[in-house]
Amino acid sequence: MNRPEWRISDSAVPYDEALAAMEARVADIRAGHAGELVWLLEHPPLYTAGTSARPQDLLEPARLPVHVAGRGGQYTYHGPGQRVAYAMLDLRARRQDVRRYVADLEDWTIRTLGRFNVRGERRAGRVGVWVVRPDKPPLPDGSPREDKIAAIGVRIRHWVSFHGISINLEPDLSHYAGIVPCGIADHGVTSLVDLGLPVTMTDLDTALADTFEEVFGAARASAAA
């Protein structure tokens, strides 16, 4: 059984640099020249546009740099205090099922948040992970307000994945005002610290590593296609 390499970047990684590194690693995994990689990092403040991003959802184009991501999804924010986990996994040695892979990423995120007694939840039609906020006024229709705490965006090439998840630890939440996050205007955005939890990035990284094994385990050894 093969386990992914884990890499943690101590300083913020420019988005274009990260994208190029992922592209190269995916090609090497497919060719059998490298193993899987889970890369934990932070980015400088920026917006990314997924393949479904709508121009009208970029509310303040001059606020931060905007990068075309190539992943699925719409606009999202990345910046210091947010843990990005890029997963370059060989789905040929796991499950060749895109929906299952996205569900596994959600499960990984939910289990990670659970280590801090945060109940992350899925919502139909809204990719990502949400928390109910009974401490906030309900929506006009009386339903409880919910905030997004983690985003998910993936791309799969020849059954090798890249991009992944981002969990808000303590980012500058005011930057989300420059976009309609993931195209959803009815709900807000939160973070672990915003929820009153004094979690460190090291704590979060440890939880991510532990729960990754619970969800994904190890891949079967396989020859390159």
PDB file of all heavy atoms in Angstrom, residues 30 89-93 95-98 156-161:
ATOM      1  N   ARG A  30       0.872  10.676 -13.199  1.00  0.00           N
ATOM      2  CA  ARG A  30       0.275   9.910 -14.292  1.00  0.00           C
ATOM      3  C   ARG A  30       1.326   9.064 -15.012  1.00  0.00           C
ATOM      4  O   ARG A  30       1.058   7.932 -15.416  1.00  0.00           O
ATOM      5  CB  ARG A  30      -0.403  10.851 -15.290  1.00  0.00           C
ATOM      6  CG  ARG A  30      -1.036  10.099 -16.462  1.00  0.00           C
ATOM      7  CD  ARG A  30      -1.901  11.001 -17.323  1.00  0.00           C
ATOM      8  NE  ARG A  30      -2.498  10.215 -18.381  1.00  0.00           N
ATOM      9  CZ  ARG A  30      -2.091  10.207 -19.657  1.00  0.00           C
ATOM     10  NH1 ARG A  30      -1.054  10.958 -20.012  1.00  0.00           N
ATOM     11  NH2 ARG A  30      -2.684   9.471 -20.564  1.00  0.00           N
ATOM     12  N   LEU A  89      -3.948  13.071  -5.987  1.00  0.00           N
ATOM     13  CA  LEU A  89      -4.160  11.646  -5.720  1.00  0.00           C
ATOM     14  C   LEU A  89      -4.418  10.894  -7.018  1.00  0.00           C
ATOM     15  O   LEU A  89      -5.074  11.405  -7.929  1.00  0.00           O
ATOM     16  CB  LEU A  89      -5.349  11.456  -4.771  1.00  0.00           C
ATOM     17  CG  LEU A  89      -5.274  12.196  -3.431  1.00  0.00           C
ATOM     18  CD1 LEU A  89      -6.511  11.880  -2.598  1.00  0.00           C
ATOM     19  CD2 LEU A  89      -4.003  11.831  -2.670  1.00  0.00           C
ATOM     20  N   ASP A  90      -3.925   9.674  -7.070  1.00  0.00           N
ATOM     21  CA  ASP A  90      -4.107   8.817  -8.240  1.00  0.00           C
ATOM     22  C   ASP A  90      -5.395   8.018  -8.057  1.00  0.00           C
ATOM     23  O   ASP A  90      -5.412   6.991  -7.378  1.00  0.00           O
ATOM     24  CB  ASP A  90      -2.902   7.888  -8.384  1.00  0.00           C
ATOM     25  CG  ASP A  90      -2.921   7.112  -9.695  1.00  0.00           C
ATOM     26  OD1 ASP A  90      -3.958   7.139 -10.387  1.00  0.00           O
ATOM     27  OD2 ASP A  90      -1.895   6.478 -10.014  1.00  0.00           O
ATOM     28  N   LEU A  91      -6.466   8.509  -8.644  1.00  0.00           N
ATOM     29  CA  LEU A  91      -7.760   7.846  -8.469  1.00  0.00           C
ATOM     30  C   LEU A  91      -7.837   6.517  -9.210  1.00  0.00           C
ATOM     31  O   LEU A  91      -8.752   5.728  -8.968  1.00  0.00           O
ATOM     32  CB  LEU A  91      -8.894   8.773  -8.902  1.00  0.00           C
ATOM     33  CG  LEU A  91      -8.964  10.119  -8.169  1.00  0.00           C
ATOM     34  CD1 LEU A  91     -10.200  10.893  -8.605  1.00  0.00           C
ATOM     35  CD2 LEU A  91      -8.955   9.934  -6.659  1.00  0.00           C
ATOM     36  N   ARG A  92      -6.878   6.243 -10.080  1.00  0.00           N
ATOM     37  CA  ARG A  92      -6.814   4.927 -10.712  1.00  0.00           C
ATOM     38  C   ARG A  92      -6.533   3.852  -9.672  1.00  0.00           C
ATOM     39  O   ARG A  92      -6.932   2.697  -9.838  1.00  0.00           O
ATOM     40  CB  ARG A  92      -5.719   4.894 -11.789  1.00  0.00           C
ATOM     41  CG  ARG A  92      -5.935   5.861 -12.940  1.00  0.00           C
ATOM     42  CD  ARG A  92      -4.683   5.970 -13.799  1.00  0.00           C
ATOM     43  NE  ARG A  92      -3.548   6.482 -13.040  1.00  0.00           N
ATOM     44  CZ  ARG A  92      -2.319   6.629 -13.529  1.00  0.00           C
ATOM     45  NH1 ARG A  92      -2.082   6.324 -14.808  1.00  0.00           N
ATOM     46  NH2 ARG A  92      -1.343   7.116 -12.785  1.00  0.00           N
ATOM     47  N   ALA A  93      -5.847   4.240  -8.592  1.00  0.00           N
ATOM     48  CA  ALA A  93      -5.506   3.298  -7.531  1.00  0.00           C
ATOM     49  C   ALA A  93      -6.474   3.407  -6.349  1.00  0.00           C
ATOM     50  O   ALA A  93      -6.286   2.746  -5.327  1.00  0.00           O
ATOM     51  CB  ALA A  93      -4.077   3.556  -7.050  1.00  0.00           C
ATOM     52  N   ARG A  95     -10.669   5.149  -6.301  1.00  0.00           N
ATOM     53  CA  ARG A  95     -11.981   4.951  -6.939  1.00  0.00           C
ATOM     54  C   ARG A  95     -12.100   5.917  -8.097  1.00  0.00           C
ATOM     55  O   ARG A  95     -11.939   7.121  -7.910  1.00  0.00           O
ATOM     56  CB  ARG A  95     -13.125   5.202  -5.945  1.00  0.00           C
ATOM     57  CG  ARG A  95     -13.190   4.228  -4.792  1.00  0.00           C
ATOM     58  CD  ARG A  95     -14.441   4.522  -3.957  1.00  0.00           C
ATOM     59  NE  ARG A  95     -14.544   3.654  -2.793  1.00  0.00           N
ATOM     60  CZ  ARG A  95     -14.058   3.949  -1.597  1.00  0.00           C
ATOM     61  NH1 ARG A  95     -13.415   5.095  -1.412  1.00  0.00           N
ATOM     62  NH2 ARG A  95     -14.206   3.120  -0.578  1.00  0.00           N
ATOM     63  N   GLN A  96     -12.404   5.425  -9.265  1.00  0.00           N
ATOM     64  CA  GLN A  96     -12.582   6.292 -10.426  1.00  0.00           C
ATOM     65  C   GLN A  96     -14.033   6.777 -10.456  1.00  0.00           C
ATOM     66  O   GLN A  96     -14.836   6.388 -11.299  1.00  0.00           O
ATOM     67  CB  GLN A  96     -12.197   5.547 -11.703  1.00  0.00           C
ATOM     68  CG  GLN A  96     -10.708   5.206 -11.741  1.00  0.00           C
ATOM     69  CD  GLN A  96     -10.279   4.611 -13.066  1.00  0.00           C
ATOM     70  OE1 GLN A  96     -10.812   4.941 -14.122  1.00  0.00           O
ATOM     71  NE2 GLN A  96      -9.309   3.717 -13.018  1.00  0.00           N
ATOM     72  N   ASP A  97     -14.328   7.652  -9.498  1.00  0.00           N
ATOM     73  CA  ASP A  97     -15.692   8.138  -9.303  1.00  0.00           C
ATOM     74  C   ASP A  97     -15.590   9.581  -8.810  1.00  0.00           C
ATOM     75  O   ASP A  97     -15.236   9.818  -7.649  1.00  0.00           O
ATOM     76  CB  ASP A  97     -16.409   7.252  -8.274  1.00  0.00           C
ATOM     77  CG  ASP A  97     -17.860   7.638  -8.061  1.00  0.00           C
ATOM     78  OD1 ASP A  97     -18.205   8.825  -8.215  1.00  0.00           O
ATOM     79  OD2 ASP A  97     -18.664   6.743  -7.702  1.00  0.00           O
ATOM     80  N   VAL A  98     -15.881  10.530  -9.684  1.00  0.00           N
ATOM     81  CA  VAL A  98     -15.679  11.941  -9.349  1.00  0.00           C
ATOM     82  C   VAL A  98     -16.586  12.376  -8.209  1.00  0.00           C
ATOM     83  O   VAL A  98     -16.151  13.051  -7.267  1.00  0.00           O
ATOM     84  CB  VAL A  98     -15.903  12.832 -10.583  1.00  0.00           C
ATOM     85  CG1 VAL A  98     -15.794  14.304 -10.211  1.00  0.00           C
ATOM     86  CG2 VAL A  98     -14.897  12.485 -11.679  1.00  0.00           C
ATOM     87  N   ILE A 156      -9.715  17.030 -12.228  1.00  0.00           N
ATOM     88  CA  ILE A 156      -9.194  15.676 -12.400  1.00  0.00           C
ATOM     89  C   ILE A 156      -8.748  15.512 -13.846  1.00  0.00           C
ATOM     90  O   ILE A 156      -9.504  15.802 -14.774  1.00  0.00           O
ATOM     91  CB  ILE A 156     -10.258  14.616 -12.037  1.00  0.00           C
ATOM     92  CG1 ILE A 156     -10.587  14.735 -10.544  1.00  0.00           C
ATOM     93  CG2 ILE A 156      -9.770  13.203 -12.374  1.00  0.00           C
ATOM     94  CD1 ILE A 156     -11.719  13.865 -10.088  1.00  0.00           C
ATOM     95  N   ARG A 157      -7.503  15.098 -14.014  1.00  0.00           N
ATOM     96  CA  ARG A 157      -6.945  14.901 -15.351  1.00  0.00           C
ATOM     97  C   ARG A 157      -6.424  13.464 -15.448  1.00  0.00           C
ATOM     98  O   ARG A 157      -5.542  13.069 -14.681  1.00  0.00           O
ATOM     99  CB  ARG A 157      -5.818  15.906 -15.604  1.00  0.00           C
ATOM    100  CG  ARG A 157      -5.166  15.766 -16.984  1.00  0.00           C
ATOM    101  CD  ARG A 157      -4.076  16.798 -17.171  1.00  0.00           C
ATOM    102  NE  ARG A 157      -4.622  18.155 -17.146  1.00  0.00           N
ATOM    103  CZ  ARG A 157      -3.945  19.224 -16.762  1.00  0.00           C
ATOM    104  NH1 ARG A 157      -2.700  19.099 -16.347  1.00  0.00           N
ATOM    105  NH2 ARG A 157      -4.516  20.421 -16.776  1.00  0.00           N
ATOM    106  N   HIS A 158      -6.987  12.718 -16.378  1.00  0.00           N
ATOM    107  CA  HIS A 158      -6.588  11.318 -16.559  1.00  0.00           C
ATOM    108  C   HIS A 158      -6.637  10.567 -15.217  1.00  0.00           C
ATOM    109  O   HIS A 158      -5.765   9.768 -14.908  1.00  0.00           O
ATOM    110  CB  HIS A 158      -5.188  11.226 -17.165  1.00  0.00           C
ATOM    111  CG  HIS A 158      -5.057  11.928 -18.487  1.00  0.00           C
ATOM    112  ND1 HIS A 158      -5.733  11.528 -19.612  1.00  0.00           N
ATOM    113  CD2 HIS A 158      -4.339  13.035 -18.843  1.00  0.00           C
ATOM    114  CE1 HIS A 158      -5.426  12.342 -20.623  1.00  0.00           C
ATOM    115  NE2 HIS A 158      -4.596  13.264 -20.173  1.00  0.00           N
ATOM    116  N   TRP A 159      -7.654  10.872 -14.420  1.00  0.00           N
ATOM    117  CA  TRP A 159      -7.900  10.230 -13.130  1.00  0.00           C
ATOM    118  C   TRP A 159      -6.836  10.535 -12.075  1.00  0.00           C
ATOM    119  O   TRP A 159      -6.653   9.788 -11.119  1.00  0.00           O
ATOM    120  CB  TRP A 159      -8.120   8.718 -13.270  1.00  0.00           C
ATOM    121  CG  TRP A 159      -9.416   8.432 -13.951  1.00  0.00           C
ATOM    122  CD1 TRP A 159      -9.583   7.909 -15.201  1.00  0.00           C
ATOM    123  CD2 TRP A 159     -10.736   8.694 -13.451  1.00  0.00           C
ATOM    124  NE1 TRP A 159     -10.918   7.825 -15.521  1.00  0.00           N
ATOM    125  CE2 TRP A 159     -11.661   8.297 -14.456  1.00  0.00           C
ATOM    126  CE3 TRP A 159     -11.246   9.223 -12.257  1.00  0.00           C
ATOM    127  CZ2 TRP A 159     -13.035   8.407 -14.302  1.00  0.00           C
ATOM    128  CZ3 TRP A 159     -12.616   9.335 -12.100  1.00  0.00           C
ATOM    129  CH2 TRP A 159     -13.491   8.932 -13.115  1.00  0.00           C
ATOM    130  N   VAL A 160      -6.154  11.663 -12.236  1.00  0.00           N
ATOM    131  CA  VAL A 160      -5.293  12.180 -11.174  1.00  0.00           C
ATOM    132  C   VAL A 160      -5.881  13.514 -10.741  1.00  0.00           C
ATOM    133  O   VAL A 160      -6.141  14.390 -11.572  1.00  0.00           O
ATOM    134  CB  VAL A 160      -3.836  12.353 -11.643  1.00  0.00           C
ATOM    135  CG1 VAL A 160      -2.971  12.899 -10.500  1.00  0.00           C
ATOM    136  CG2 VAL A 160      -3.271  11.024 -12.145  1.00  0.00           C
ATOM    137  N   SER A 161      -6.085  13.674  -9.442  1.00  0.00           N
ATOM    138  CA  SER A 161      -6.754  14.872  -8.920  1.00  0.00           C
ATOM    139  C   SER A 161      -5.750  15.967  -8.591  1.00  0.00           C
ATOM    140  O   SER A 161      -4.579  15.705  -8.299  1.00  0.00           O
ATOM    141  CB  SER A 161      -7.545  14.519  -7.651  1.00  0.00           C
ATOM    142  OG  SER A 161      -6.654  14.233  -6.572  1.00  0.00           O
TER     143      SER A 161
END
